[in-house]
Amino acid sequence: MFELIDQLEKNQILSKEELSHLLNHYDSEMSQYLFAKARAVSQKYYGNTVFRRGLIEFTNYCKNDCYYCGIRASNRQAVRYRLSKEEILSCCDTGYNLGFRTFVLQGGEDLHYSDEEICSIILSIKEKFPECAVTLSIGEKSYESYKKYFESGADRYLLRHETSNPDHYNKLHPTNLTISKRKKCLEDLKNIGYQVGTGFMVGSPYQRTEDIVEDLLFIKEFSPAMIGVGPFIPHHQTPFAKEMAGTLELTLFVIGLLRLMNPNALIPATTALGTIDPNGRELGILSGANVVMPNLSPVTVRKNYELYDNKICTGDEAAECKVCLDSRMNRIGYEIVVDRGDFVEI
Ligand code: SAM
Ligand code: FES
């Protein structure tokens, strides 16, 4: 088993059976072995630095109905909101003064915003903060729309593939959403020239070890700049309210494997990881992650962007989150830097 991890470290591709074996039989000793190697690889490319992205959750309206998601269209109890361009710029202003150099605009698939409005928001951010990167995470759009956003200055795009297995995908989404459409979007984004991020939830309902193996291999093949993985956490107003959350141990193990398989990728220690364990984000970094994504959304709306139950940091001002995360990273020997944190090609 340890030699399988050594092989991954040497950039050898493991078979499906070998990856399944690792995922089915890892224990704490093997996890620590993996994490030490994953940290070393991350440090080789990025040193002891952690990059910070400011997450601006600018709308929680969504036309989609993903079964796992707290802001799905059918959740009539969700309190809906949208931020105006001025409010978004004010979040960026606050973030810039705190040392943020990447802003992530995330939202549901909200039909209220035309392409022109999205482009105008991107242009305004780029005009005011030319040295900052803009990342979009607003779901599935046409090639033409993605291209317009890119030409307006968007640098990166996050679109998790959620699961590579079509049957599993259909168990997590209604029939109008398909994995082939999702993958087509990812290809479009890459062809246009974005730094693209993809990923999946660990422990989502019906997920089998084989599915995680397919996800690892899909990501290796797609070779994204960014990889977001976090535990699935149930939301009480969704069809998956009674399902189990993904575990800390498996999520960390998957992060470690992803780091060895994608040595230079940007991998966040997600808010969901910090939600299932008070030290989740620190443990994520110590397993090979190198990015944190604190929230820059106004405190007045944060509770309403409730993708899952008990989401952390919904009551804290941006400045408090900055101080808290800085000290959390310092305690484990890492430093959050003032930097766009672009992908390093090798
Ligand atoms: N609408 C955009 C999209 O579909 O990519 C971005 C917003 S969506 C809420 C962002 C991510 O949140 C999803 O890709 C999903 O993996 C994650 N997410 C949603 N519900 C979750 C849950 N219950 N637990 C953990 N992660 C969740
Ligand atoms: Fe659209 Fe979750 S269902 S953002």
Side-chain angles (χ1 to χ4, degrees):
M1 293 270 270
F2 289 87
E3 60 280 5
L4 292 178
I5 292 172
D6 294 342
Q7 285 176 33
L8 277 181
E9 185 194 20
K10 290 185 200 125
N11 220 3
Q12 294 169 6
I13 298 182
L14 299 187
S15 66
K16 289 184 185 176
E17 293 68 33
E18 289 169 326
L19 284 169
S20 289
H21 191 71
L22 276 175
L23 287 162
N24 284 331
H25 297 286
Y26 73 92
D27 59 14
S28 113
E29 194 189 352
M30 195 183 311
S31 296
Q32 291 312 320
Y33 187 76
L34 169 67
F35 299 157
K37 292 194 182 291
R39 281 199 295 277
V41 170
S42 176
Q43 285 171 9
K44 177 171 163 200
Y45 294 102
Y46 296 103
N48 267 31
T49 56
V50 172
F51 296 125
R52 170 177 25 223
R53 320 307 196 187
L55 189 59
I56 303 171
E57 298 159 336
F58 71 101
T59 172
N60 72 348
Y61 282 86
C62 190
K63 70 177 173 57
N64 290 338
D65 223 6
C66 306
Y67 302 144
Y68 45 82
C69 183
I71 61 170
R72 63 200 297 268
S74 298
N75 183 4
R76 307 271 171 246
Q77 294 175 69
V79 179
R80 304 285 170 176
Y81 72 90
R82 288 185 183 103
L83 300 184
S84 64
K85 181 160 92 176
E86 290 64 38
E87 287 170 311
I88 295 171
L89 285 168
S90 153
C91 297
C92 296
D93 224 18
T94 307
Y96 188 86
N97 291 328
L98 291 170
F100 287 77
R101 295 296 179 267
T102 290
F103 302 117
V104 182
L105 298 181
Q106 191 182 83
E109 290 195 21
D110 184 353
L111 297 173
H112 167 87
Y113 295 91
S114 63
D115 282 351
E116 286 60 41
E117 278 173 278
I118 297 289
C119 291
S120 150
I121 294 169
I122 299 164
L123 283 165
S124 300
I125 297 176
K126 284 296 206 174
E127 193 183 348
K128 201 155 177 219
F129 309 100
E131 75 269 45
C132 293
V134 170
T135 305
L136 296 179
S137 178
I138 52 175
E140 298 178 10
K141 305 277 177 183
S142 67
Y143 181 92
E144 291 69 33
S145 299
Y146 285 149
K147 195 149 175 26
K148 283 188 209 162
Y149 309 153
F150 187 73
E151 285 166 355
S152 302
D155 304 272
R156 310 184 188 135
Y157 206 104
L158 300 176
L159 186 75
R160 290 184 175 183
H161 68 283
E162 312 294 1
T163 172
S164 296
N165 174 343
D167 292 334
H168 186 213
Y169 199 92
N170 294 341
K171 288 183 176 149
L172 301 181
H173 304 97
T175 48
N176 64 323
L177 300 173
T178 62
I179 184 59
S180 55
K181 175 81 200 313
R182 200 84 178 168
K183 287 188 174 172
K184 158 88 168 57
C185 288
L186 286 167
E187 288 300 335
D188 286 349
L189 290 163
K190 206 177 208 187
N191 290 336
I192 290 168
Y194 285 95
Q195 291 176 43
V196 183
T198 195
F200 61 97
M201 292 177 288
V202 174
S204 60
Y206 309 106
Q207 184 182 59
R208 304 159 311 156
T209 303
E210 300 92 292
D211 299 325
I212 300 181
V213 169
E214 291 295 341
D215 290 329
L216 294 175
L217 293 173
F218 167 72
I219 290 174
K220 173 79 189 158
E221 160 103 29
F222 183 66
S223 186
M226 302 164 289
I227 307 170
V229 288
F232 158 75
I233 304 174
H235 183 287
H236 62 287
Q237 289 154 351
T238 64
F240 290 159
K242 299 265 180 311
E243 299 289 338
M244 300 269 288
T247 67
L248 176 72
E249 292 73 20
L250 182 57
T251 308
L252 296 177
F253 196 73
V254 166
I255 289 176
L257 293 176
L258 283 167
R259 170 58 68 203
L260 292 190
M261 294 172 77
N262 308 272
N264 54 337
L266 294 155
I267 304 180
T270 59
T271 305
L273 199 49
T275 298
I276 57 164
D277 187 284
N279 293 318
R281 286 168 299 174
E282 292 90 318
L283 293 168
I285 299 294
L286 293 172
S287 308
N290 62 339
V291 172
V292 287
M293 298 178 68
N295 203 320
L296 282 182
S297 313
V299 174
T300 44
V301 300
R302 279 203 207 170
K303 280 193 179 49
N304 300 333
Y305 199 83
E306 191 187 43
L307 306 182
Y308 45 80
D309 291 340
N310 305 317
K311 189 173 165 212
I312 54 168
C313 306
T314 52
D316 300 335
E317 294 289 347
E320 289 174 66
C321 285
K322 179 198 182 276
V323 172
C324 164
L325 264 178
D326 278 345
S327 71
R328 281 172 181 269
M329 294 301 129
N330 290 342
R331 277 203 295 271
I332 58 166
Y334 283 76
E335 190 196 355
I336 303 186
V337 287
V338 177
D339 195 295
R340 277 170 55 117
D342 281 302
F343 179 61
V344 177
E345 298 275 0
I346 48 173

